Amino acid sequence: MFELLCFNALRIVIQLYQSMDAWDSSLPDSINPNNFPAKLWRLVNNPVNEAIRWDREGIVIVIDQHLFEEQILSPSNSSSSSSTALDNKDAFKTTNFSSFVRQLNLYGFKKTDANVRDCCHTDQVQFHYFYNPNFKRNHPELVASLRRLTVLNKAKIKAGLDVKNRGPSRYLRYNDDGRDKDVKRGMCHCMAVCGEIAQ
């Protein structure tokens, strides 16, 4: 029993290291890592999470509602030491599953039926399936196309105007040479301004 437990733990660690790029660093720099789509991308691509995953084709996300509420939306998940606990950067502001679904809908995700080939679940587990053409496994570049469909943004899209995503904080934006555009490395914006005034 102990050997099996150790083997499973080792398997999870190996999967985690093998998929690090897929669930964290593969998103384009133009995407704010704190926005809902970036958090969702990291969650669905994180092999440690059992509550949310891709379907077999990698075009639909599958959510086990009970596990999702317990492991992802639970207010105690940030203090948990379990392997499925979230980093603070991946925590959502809500603890309510219906609010999470509302966020999915605001970003254009549509609820869909289970893929027949992906149905190997027991009837007692409540799975939800969501699709968005700009959210597909192995295509992180599509995440930049996701827009929050507020009333104002829908009107802009209907008028043919471009809807911008909120980019990363200016403290995360860098020039081509890797240096920060707005501030010197290691200094916050107010320190840089105060330094300019003092000179």
Side-chain angles (χ1 to χ4, degrees), residues 80-94:
S80 172
S81 61
S82 76
S83 62
T84 57
L86 296 177
D87 292 335
N88 284 338
K89 67 180 179 177
D90 289 335
F92 291 102
K93 294 177 183 175
T94 185

Side-chain angles (χ1 to χ4, degrees), residues 11-12 15 33 36 57 77 94 124 127 138 142 149 151 158 169 174 179:
R11 183 177 52 86
I12 289 171
Q15 287 175 343
F36 180 84
E57 286 82 27
N77 71 10
T94 185
Q124 297 173 341
F127 286 93
N138 299 326
L142 293 176
L149 300 175
V151 173
K158 190 173 183 178
S169 151
Y174 297 98
R179 292 186 311 153

Side-chain angles (χ1 to χ4, degrees), residues 21-40:
D21 289 337
W23 65 276
D24 192 22
S25 63
S26 64
L27 285 172
D29 292 336
S30 62
I31 296 174
N32 183 339
N34 299 317
N35 281 354
F36 180 84
K39 290 179 182 183
L40 182 64

Side-chain angles (χ1 to χ4, degrees), residues 7 22 44 51 58 62 77 87 91 99 111-112 142 144 170 182 185:
F7 174 77
V44 77
V62 180
N77 71 10
D87 292 335
S99 297
K111 195 163 189 177
T112 184
L142 293 176
R170 69 172 169 235
D182 299 318
R185 232 178 244 285

Side-chain angles (χ1 to χ4, degrees), residues 52-79:
I52 184 169
R53 63 176 176 82
W54 293 106
D55 71 340
R56 290 182 186 177
E57 286 82 27
I59 57 174
V60 171
I61 58 173
V62 180
I63 302 173
D64 176 333
Q65 182 176 346
H66 174 72
L67 275 179
F68 196 82
E69 290 172 335
E70 183 181 287
Q71 296 175 356
I72 310 293
L73 298 180
S74 172
S76 64
N77 71 10
S78 59
S79 63

Side-chain angles (χ1 to χ4, degrees), residues 6-179:
C6 289
F7 174 77
N8 285 336
L10 181 60
R11 183 177 52 86
I12 289 171
V13 169
I14 290 170
Q15 287 175 343
L16 179 64
Y17 281 114
Q18 288 175 339
S19 64
M20 278 280 194
D21 289 337
W23 65 276
D24 192 22
S25 63
S26 64
L27 285 172
D29 292 336
S30 62
I31 296 174
N32 183 339
N34 299 317
N35 281 354
F36 180 84
K39 290 179 182 183
L40 182 64
W41 178 263
R42 286 191 302 269
L43 282 175
V44 77
N45 285 294
N46 185 342
V48 174
N49 288 328
E50 298 171 355
I52 184 169
R53 63 176 176 82
W54 293 106
D55 71 340
R56 290 182 186 177
E57 286 82 27
I59 57 174
V60 171
I61 58 173
V62 180
I63 302 173
D64 176 333
Q65 182 176 346
H66 174 72
L67 275 179
F68 196 82
E69 290 172 335
E70 183 181 287
Q71 296 175 356
I72 310 293
L73 298 180
S74 172
S76 64
N77 71 10
S78 59
S79 63
S80 172
S81 61
S82 76
S83 62
T84 57
L86 296 177
D87 292 335
N88 284 338
K89 67 180 179 177
D90 289 335
F92 291 102
K93 294 177 183 175
T94 185
T95 57
N96 187 326
F97 187 74
S98 61
S99 297
F100 176 80
V101 170
R102 192 175 307 116
Q103 280 293 316
L104 286 171
N105 292 332
L106 277 171
Y107 279 93
F109 284 84
K110 302 291 183 206
K111 195 163 189 177
T112 184
D113 293 328
N115 183 336
V116 175
R117 291 170 290 184
D118 201 52
C119 287
C120 52
H121 317 301
T122 62
D123 293 333
Q124 297 173 341
V125 178
Q126 187 171 5
F127 286 93
H128 299 271
Y129 303 84
F130 292 92
Y131 169 77
N132 185 312
N134 292 316
F135 201 82
K136 296 179 181 179
R137 181 175 51 212
N138 299 326
H139 291 281
E141 72 281 358
L142 293 176
V143 178
S145 305
L146 292 175
R147 301 289 184 266
R148 195 161 193 257
L149 300 175
T150 61
V151 173
L152 180 61
N153 285 349
K154 285 180 184 178
K156 286 180 180 179
I157 291 169
K158 190 173 183 178
L161 300 173
D162 189 31
V163 177
K164 302 277 187 205
N165 274 335
R166 245 186 353 195
S169 151
R170 69 172 169 235
Y171 302 112
L172 299 176
R173 295 181 191 151
Y174 297 98
N175 288 327
D176 292 335
D177 64 359
R179 292 186 311 153

